[in-house]
Amino acid sequence: MKETVVSGIRSTGKLHLGNYYGALSNFVKMQDAYNCFFFIADLHSLTTHPTPGDLSRTVREVVVEYLAAGINPETSTIYVQSDVPEVAELYLYLNMNAYLGELERATAFKDKVRANPDNVNAGLLTYPVLMASDILLHHGTKVPVGKDQEQHLEMTRTFGNRFNRLYNVDYFQEAMAFSYSDKLVKIPGLDGNGKMGKSNGDASCVYLSDTPEVIRKKVMRAVSDAGPTEMNQPKPEAIQNLFDLMKVVSTADTLAHFEDLYNNCAIRYGDFKKQLAEDMVLATEPVRSRINDITNDDEYLKKVVRLGAEKASESARKTIREVREIIGIKKLF
Ligand code: TRP
């Protein structure tokens, strides 16, 4: 039997190169080896109170972009979280055994409280319980997530084990963080520091749906400096970032060519950026054209989303039936 992989995708809209070369490429590689459930976490996003229009638009964008980037809806189960309301029922049961103290101690919760002191709602507090429900609903044992989610996975194991102990069963398995390749590719932003990320602003991100013109404009405006003045001098962060991006989208020859120019103080950043932009346009072309193909294809998207909901519901209904039985919830008559 194939092991089950579960991963939630934040429904914050458009995907950028960081998502593509990070989580997404992992997902695509896992599809054949594992029984994969990928879902758009629209219920989780309610903690920040999106408008109805924004909510449905971003869910659609994310579905389109994951499909365009290579998630196969036949082999994997790709679904919208709210299409499978069983997760809310499991969330309710698990909430009965999730304690205030441990929820308050979660780092992600504390960070959000600090960032938005006016919106400390109970959904935010119990976010890890909903996440545990996502995973346990399908008996997921492998969860491809980044470092920032490891504490949530530990809480998932705590809630599952606690349920097992309380009812004296061996029902939920432990879910572990999982990365297909141990080399995580670093995708820096264009703003001179840190990772490519929405929180660093649109100018730092190249989105999969950006047109070639937009990509060129963003890359040409990327932060650089006045250029090297000494042979073989170490690269400052902003320049290293551009080389790191080139490593991902360009050929080894191109990269070596510009490394040489840099080391000989002969690099012209205009040419360097132009090449980087063209290679980025080329690397993202297949995904972009697929996004354009399916973004207005209601028939196709409807088919995919329905199939996903069907497959996920089947697994979810079985779990809920068993959980109710374990808890002792049964029809009186
Ligand atoms: N919390 C995850 C994130 O912010 C998203 C998520 C929700 C998730 N439910 C999940 C990830 C279940 C893995 C499994 O990225």
Side-chain angles (χ1 to χ4, degrees):
M1 259 270 281
K2 286 183 183 174
E3 271 192 78
T4 297
V5 165
V6 178
S7 198
I9 301 155
R10 273 180 253 201
S11 60
T12 46
K14 302 187 290 186
L15 301 179
H16 53 66
L17 286 188
N19 305 125
Y20 183 60
Y21 289 105
L24 242 166
S25 64
N26 257 324
F27 288 1
V28 171
K29 281 186 252 169
M30 284 183 302
Q31 295 188 99
D32 295 320
Y34 300 99
N35 178 28
C36 294
F37 290 87
F38 301 123
F39 65 91
I40 323 302
D42 60 340
L43 298 177
H44 283 277
S45 70
L46 295 177
T47 53
T48 58
H49 308 153
T51 66
D54 280 349
L55 184 66
S56 53
R57 181 181 49 78
T58 52
V59 167
R60 187 182 170 111
E61 269 171 16
V62 175
V63 173
V64 166
E65 297 193 358
Y66 271 79
L67 292 169
I71 300 284
N72 180 341
E74 308 279 338
T75 22
S76 298
T77 298
I78 177 162
Y79 69 101
V80 181
Q81 187 184 28
S82 58
D83 278 344
V84 184
E86 282 81 1
V87 75
E89 185 170 338
L90 186 55
Y91 169 62
L92 183 147
Y93 299 143
L94 294 179
N95 263 325
M96 303 303 167
N97 307 307
Y99 295 96
L100 183 59
E102 64 190 341
L103 295 170
E104 279 175 334
R105 274 195 301 278
T107 327
F109 175 70
K110 288 195 284 190
D111 288 347
K112 285 183 187 151
V113 170
R114 219 170 295 126
N116 301 296
D118 300 330
N119 185 26
V120 186
N121 61 65
L124 199 61
L125 181 73
T126 56
Y127 181 109
V129 189
L130 183 54
M131 177 159 165
S133 309
D134 293 323
I135 297 166
L136 298 174
L137 192 62
H138 304 300
H139 297 274
T141 50
K142 290 189 151 33
V143 184
V145 284
K147 264 229 147 341
D148 63 322
Q149 295 297 314
E150 259 165 31
Q151 192 180 33
H152 286 160
L153 275 189
E154 197 181 319
M155 294 172 86
T156 300
R157 292 191 287 274
T158 301
F159 300 145
N161 287 333
R162 197 174 282 157
F163 179 94
N164 288 347
R165 230 176 303 112
L166 182 65
Y167 295 107
N168 200 15
V169 289
D170 190 11
Y171 185 66
F172 289 125
Q173 295 79 14
E174 291 197 330
M176 305 307 281
F178 177 61
S179 164
Y180 191 88
S181 69
D182 30 55
K183 284 193 294 240
L184 273 189
V185 219
K186 182 188 167 208
I187 305 293
L190 295 173
D191 56 349
N193 49 52
K195 291 201 303 183
M196 186 174 287
K198 271 206 154 161
S199 50
N200 298 328
D202 274 353
S204 95
C205 297
V206 174
Y207 294 109
L208 295 177
S209 57
D210 279 347
T211 62
E213 297 73 60
V214 171
I215 295 178
R216 289 183 189 114
K217 218 176 273 169
K218 284 181 177 173
V219 174
M220 295 317 283
R221 282 189 199 143
V223 175
S224 58
D225 61 14
T229 49
E230 279 168 50
M231 305 283 274
N232 301 314
Q233 91 184 42
K235 302 183 184 83
E237 188 179 3
I239 303 303
Q240 184 61 51
N241 285 352
L242 297 180
F243 273 97
D244 284 346
L245 286 167
M246 181 169 261
K247 195 174 184 169
V248 175
V249 297
S250 305
T251 65
D253 282 351
T254 302
L255 180 68
H257 171 70
F258 285 100
E259 294 269 9
D260 274 352
L261 289 176
Y262 182 89
N263 288 332
N264 295 316
C265 301
I267 193 163
R268 294 201 330 220
Y269 286 145
D271 297 343
F272 173 54
K273 286 176 169 180
K274 227 180 235 157
Q275 181 73 46
L276 177 60
E278 287 321 307
D279 289 341
M280 236 179 225
V281 168
L282 216 61
T284 49
E285 173 52 32
V287 185
R288 188 167 41 251
S289 73
R290 182 117 177 92
I291 290 176
N292 292 334
D293 285 347
I294 63 177
T295 196
N296 293 314
D297 192 344
D298 284 353
E299 277 310 304
Y300 175 69
L301 294 176
K302 191 159 104 185
K303 222 172 69 193
V304 166
V305 167
R306 287 212 178 143
L307 176 68
E310 224 169 83
K311 290 196 280 181
S313 296
E314 192 181 309
S315 147
R317 278 197 295 263
K318 177 169 184 288
T319 303
I320 290 298
R321 205 184 317 121
E322 292 166 349
V323 165
R324 283 180 174 215
E325 176 146 344
I326 290 168
I327 295 180
I329 295 176
K330 39 183 152 194
K331 297 249 187 292
L332 269 183
F333 297 103

